[in-house]
Amino acid sequence: MSLSLIAKSIGESATLKLNEVAAILRAKGDPVIHLGGGEPKGKAPLDAILAATSLVNSGEVRYTPPDGIPALKQAIIRYTEDFYGWRPAPENVMASGGAKQAIMSALHTILDPQEEVIFPAPYWVSYPEMVKLVGAVPVPVEPEDGSFIPRIQDIEQVVGSYTKAVILNSPNNPSGAVYPAEFIKDVVELCEKRGLYLIMDDIYHRLIYDGRKPINPYDFAKDRTDNSKLIIINGVSKQYAMTGFRIGWAVANTRLIEVMTNIQGHETSGPSAVLQHAAAAAINGVQSSVDSLCTTLENNRNVLIEQLRSFDGVRLEEPGGTFYSFPDFSHYDKNSVRLSEFLLEKVQVVTVPGIEFGKEGHLRLSFCGSIKDITDGIERIKWTLDPNAPNELYIGERKLVRDWS
Ligand SMILES: Cc1ncc(COP(=O)(O)O)c(C=O)c1O
């Protein structure tokens, strides 16, 4: 079949694929534990549900302005004022079908073919594919010291004449690392100096622990005019446990938002009216669900860390945010795909291979599930990999006997 070169270069989303695998195994009755997930398990806020059902019940569900309904844009404006200390105009805001679509529209708007986009590794699985989708070139940079915290020198080294943008995602998927304010400051300054766009993917910025506060890139920006090349991406998926609602947004300069809106207008006409109402209600509503989500996730993280610390051979950098950890399992197998498949086959634990995030030898383990999933999941992994573990493991009634070394 004849397909475009770009289309042929795009891989499947490993994380979405694994959700499917987990669902199929569960439907078959397998006692699968999904440590590969990317969404909080709680319910969407009641305010959001009531707003969505009320619009559906009215029966009048119409097209909306392509950049979003005024109520949602106002909610995003207030959110930006609260978390970023400046009040954008409505012309600086575009609502979209998830943060994913906001990033895609931004890339479509700023990139010409062959231009380069730099982002630190490990990185979110979609960045390379999104950049390739617009015909541009992804440039992942791995911190030289092998840690999850990039240094400004790592970025500077790869900036060249084709560089058009940098993407930062902190707290980071998959490592959970929270980049230091100093590093973000340096990148903001570098981008301003070199005339580069800086896309801040802040989708996890409120999911941070140990008393940290979200870092605001505008604090370091000298250019506070409407020519700023800073693009803020966020959404309701993670912080409000509303992944299926598919609402995200971008805040950027007027001209960018205008062009992004033109693109979105032709591609989708904008996100669903029902879901926009729900998102506005979540942002404007009682925020206690975000606080309790953070408390739950911090506790889950602590349990996961404790479990992993008792695991000889696994090295872990403590996640400071998100609901992901990214331990190094290379002592057991340097090939993360093979290791992930082995764990799924032997003990039905779903993990995401590190190579999908640009770092081999690691597995991404999520802590957004239940404490029981975390403890049982790690226990199963440990049993599978630790040669000193007892020979048998019970999963419910099922007895597993280790026949590998
Ligand atoms: C780093 C990062 N950015 C963006 C997204 C997409 O979020 P949304 O559900 O709003 O499209 C995700 C989802 O996993 C993510 O991990």
Side-chain angles (χ1 to χ4, degrees), residues 15-16 38-39 96-103 123-127 130 169-174 201-204 233-238 242-244 246-249 322-324 364:
T15 44
L16 293 183
E39 53 191 348
S96 59
K100 238 177 200 175
Q101 197 186 18
I103 299 171
Y123 47 76
W124 180 42
V125 285
S126 290
Y127 294 147
M130 288 172 144
N169 168 227
S170 170
N172 177 263
N173 176 6
D201 182 347
D202 279 355
I203 192 88
Y204 298 101
I233 302 290
N234 215 320
V236 296
S237 283
K238 315 288 176 173
M242 289 173 66
T243 46
R246 309 305 309 123
I247 298 292
W249 61 83
T322 71
F323 33 75
Y324 310 111
R364 191 188 76 177

Side-chain angles (χ1 to χ4, degrees), residues 100-114:
K100 238 177 200 175
Q101 197 186 18
I103 299 171
M104 254 342 282
S105 302
L107 297 177
H108 268 302
T109 304
I110 62 178
L111 291 166
D112 278 317
Q114 300 309 318

Side-chain angles (χ1 to χ4, degrees), residues 45 47-48 78 240 279-288:
D47 293 315
R78 211 174 43 73
Y240 296 110
I283 300 168
N284 288 333
V286 186
Q287 298 298 295
S288 54

